[in-house]
Amino acid sequence: MNARQGRTAPSRDRRDGGSTRQNGVWAVTAARIEDHALLSDRHSAALVTSDGTVDWLCFPRFDSPSVFGAILDEEAGSWSIRPIGQAEIQRQYVHGSMALRTTFRTADGTVELIDAMALGPSSDPHRIGEHAPHSLVRRVRCLQGRVRVEMRYRPRPEYGLISPRHTTIDGGVVSSGGSARFVLSAPELDVTAADEVRTTMALRDGDVLHFAMRHAPLGVPLPPPYGQCDIAEELEGTIADWRAWSSIHQQYQGPWGDLVCHSGRVLQALSYQPTGAIVAAATTSLPEAVGGERNWDYRYSWLRDASLTMEALWVAACPDEAHEFFDFVTTAAADTRTGSALQIVFGVGGERDLSERELPHLSGWRASRPVRVGNGAWTQTQLDANLQRVIGA
């Protein structure tokens, strides 16, 4: 996933991926895999395309059903914030953090979009994300000129099976359907349609607007919308917490220092805070080849990768994270049954039954079917050198 790029992004067709605008409405198409950047609160993850579209997000865990799943099917939900018309796009992570900065330069002006998954309050940099509010926060700022920006919000919970009901409240919108509700905090909204929320904003130099989406499971009180200052504080606090983690963890001195340190943050971003498990990837069903069937769910933790992961944590982060991951591995794999085989993959909570199933209602990334959740590898025996190192540790 590449967030170090600069290029012009006009309307594109499905062969190149991206998005098109037809009859005044944006239609999401399958962006290239390398055009995605990762966000994380150390419980779950989101992917953001280079044109400001969140086309993958799971709440409240990495392996939860998606809320936005347009990376696998246009009808499975997305959330976009971007200028209307063509723009030159540059992206990079805010220094020392996993907050993403996207800069759009248009013929009339320049806007900056910063996206992050909120980490919540924390007093210990070793435990960032411990109190994550399960919220995605976004800030759009006009840096120069005048730019018209469009926001389009289309949650589709349960891997796109649900088109939730939207109810306008003071300060935002509540989306209800299925096992959870979602609160969109927004400063202004033009349209709350049956299947989406949309607004168009004319921004001038210095204008700043904040948006946030928060997950709320059924059975708990619905959180009120964030105010603009609340979102701003959440975003700045998240950036500060990532920097605090980086400052005490990343003492690597050697070649490619920036990339090594960022890789350490990515491993931390792919770790499940409550247990220390590290997922192999934030997604499911991205194919080995376009149109192929080798589309697996990698939102789980593999023992055979454990030794390499722990070595990488030791170099690019610090021993604490390596020890947390090792504790997860040894606890999840513990079994007193005589002759029991060592399971090779576990859920982020230590779960063993990862029974696999297909989602036939999703077309897959660039029509690469089937889309799968769960992973049948949990029943397999796979031994290699890396796993031998873990067993012998």
Side-chain angles (χ1 to χ4, degrees), residues 11-71:
S11 298
R12 291 162 282 175
D13 62 25
R14 288 189 66 88
R15 292 172 296 176
D16 294 327
S19 53
T20 59
R21 188 175 175 84
Q22 300 174 347
N23 300 323
V25 177
W26 286 100
V28 178
T29 59
R32 298 179 303 178
I33 292 174
E34 63 266 31
D35 282 344
H36 291 82
L38 172 72
L39 308 177
S40 169
D41 60 2
R42 299 195 65 218
H43 291 257
S44 52
L47 299 182
V48 187
T49 67
S50 57
D51 62 0
T53 300
V54 181
D55 67 0
W56 180 256
L57 172 65
C58 296
F59 275 139
R61 292 185 6 162
F62 290 106
D63 56 354
S64 295
S66 65
V67 181
F68 302 130
I71 194 171

Side-chain angles (χ1 to χ4, degrees), residues 250-261 315-316:
Q250 302 192 316
Q251 307 303 320
Y252 170 79
Q253 300 292 328
W256 312 103
D258 288 347
L259 293 178
V260 171
C261 289
V315 171

Side-chain angles (χ1 to χ4, degrees), residues 285 287-295 365-370 372:
S285 300
E288 293 185 9
V290 176
E293 297 181 355
R294 298 178 64 82
N295 318 321
W365 185 79
R366 297 192 179 182
S368 302
R369 279 189 165 119
R372 296 182 173 95

Side-chain angles (χ1 to χ4, degrees), residues 19 22 26 33 61 72 139 150 152 176 195 214 232 237 275 278 280-282 301-302 314 330 363 368 376 384 387:
S19 53
Q22 300 174 347
W26 286 100
I33 292 174
R61 292 185 6 162
L72 298 177
R139 181 181 76 196
E150 182 179 65
R152 188 184 183 205
S176 303
D195 62 348
R214 187 168 183 180
T275 65
I278 298 178
S301 194
W302 265 260
W314 200 279
T330 55
S363 61
S368 302
D384 58 22
L387 187 53

Side-chain angles (χ1 to χ4, degrees), residues 40-115:
S40 169
D41 60 2
R42 299 195 65 218
H43 291 257
S44 52
L47 299 182
V48 187
T49 67
S50 57
D51 62 0
T53 300
V54 181
D55 67 0
W56 180 256
L57 172 65
C58 296
F59 275 139
R61 292 185 6 162
F62 290 106
D63 56 354
S64 295
S66 65
V67 181
F68 302 130
I71 194 171
L72 298 177
D73 192 295
E74 292 181 11
E75 298 304 314
S78 61
W79 183 15
S80 61
I81 299 177
R82 54 175 167 239
I84 295 173
Q86 295 188 354
E88 178 184 332
I89 301 172
Q90 293 181 321
R91 297 199 298 171
Q92 60 184 5
Y93 285 98
V94 175
H95 179 70
S97 79
M98 289 299 294
L100 178 69
R101 175 187 288 115
T102 306
T103 304
F104 301 90
R105 292 182 173 86
T106 74
D108 300 317
T110 302
V111 294
E112 172 193 80
L113 175 66
I114 295 185
D115 295 321

Side-chain angles (χ1 to χ4, degrees), residues 115-375:
D115 295 321
M117 293 187 71
L119 292 176
S122 176
S123 58
D124 182 358
H126 289 285
R127 302 189 61 80
I128 60 170
E130 182 179 15
H131 302 293
H134 306 301
S135 179
L136 174 60
V137 296
R138 317 189 74 180
R139 181 181 76 196
V140 59
R141 181 198 303 270
C142 184
L143 302 179
Q144 178 267 325
R146 301 179 63 178
V147 183
R148 288 177 60 80
V149 175
E150 182 179 65
M151 189 278 294
R152 188 184 183 205
Y153 173 79
R154 301 173 58 247
R156 296 291 185 272
E158 298 284 342
Y159 298 111
L161 284 175
I162 298 170
S163 183
R165 182 182 70 252
H166 300 303
T167 304
T168 302
I169 60 175
D170 187 22
V173 170
V174 175
S175 303
S176 303
S179 62
R181 296 166 292 176
F182 304 94
V183 180
L184 173 66
S185 304
E188 52 185 79
L189 298 171
D190 293 337
V191 178
T192 303
D195 62 348
E196 69 176 41
V197 179
R198 191 168 67 247
T199 190
T200 301
M201 303 154 283
L203 302 183
R204 297 183 180 183
D205 187 5
D207 287 347
V208 181
L209 295 176
H210 294 85
F211 299 83
M213 171 199 182
R214 187 168 183 180
H215 169 270
L218 291 182
V220 303
L222 188 69
Y226 288 117
Q228 290 290 288
C229 291
D230 297 326
I231 303 174
E233 290 177 2
E234 197 75 74
L235 178 58
E236 293 303 324
T238 292
I239 293 172
D241 284 348
W242 276 114
R243 287 174 170 170
W245 182 86
S246 297
S247 68
I248 67 170
H249 288 76
Q250 302 192 316
Q251 307 303 320
Y252 170 79
Q253 300 292 328
W256 312 103
D258 288 347
L259 293 178
V260 171
C261 289
H262 184 67
S263 295
R265 284 190 292 274
V266 170
L267 285 176
Q268 184 74 342
L270 290 173
S271 67
Y272 183 59
Q273 197 282 328
T275 65
I278 298 178
V279 297
T283 54
T284 181
S285 300
L286 297 184
E288 293 185 9
V290 176
E293 297 181 355
R294 298 178 64 82
N295 318 321
W296 313 115
D297 190 349
Y298 287 113
R299 298 173 297 165
Y300 307 108
S301 194
W302 265 260
L303 290 194
R304 66 181 182 183
D305 301 329
S307 65
L308 295 177
T309 302
M310 285 186 283
E311 280 188 90
L313 284 171
W314 200 279
V315 171
C318 86
D320 286 35
E321 276 64 27
H323 290 154
E324 287 179 5
F325 184 46
F326 185 75
D327 287 345
F328 164 77
V329 168
T330 55
T331 301
D335 196 334
T336 61
R337 293 176 298 169
T338 302
S340 61
L342 179 65
Q343 187 162 314
I344 66 167
V345 58
F346 296 90
V348 295
E351 299 86 359
R352 298 197 176 200
D353 186 346
L354 307 179
S355 295
E356 188 176 294
R357 62 189 176 95
E358 297 182 4
L359 303 179
H361 65 284
L362 296 179
S363 61
W365 185 79
R366 297 192 179 182
S368 302
R369 279 189 165 119
V371 172
R372 296 182 173 95
V373 295
N375 197 302

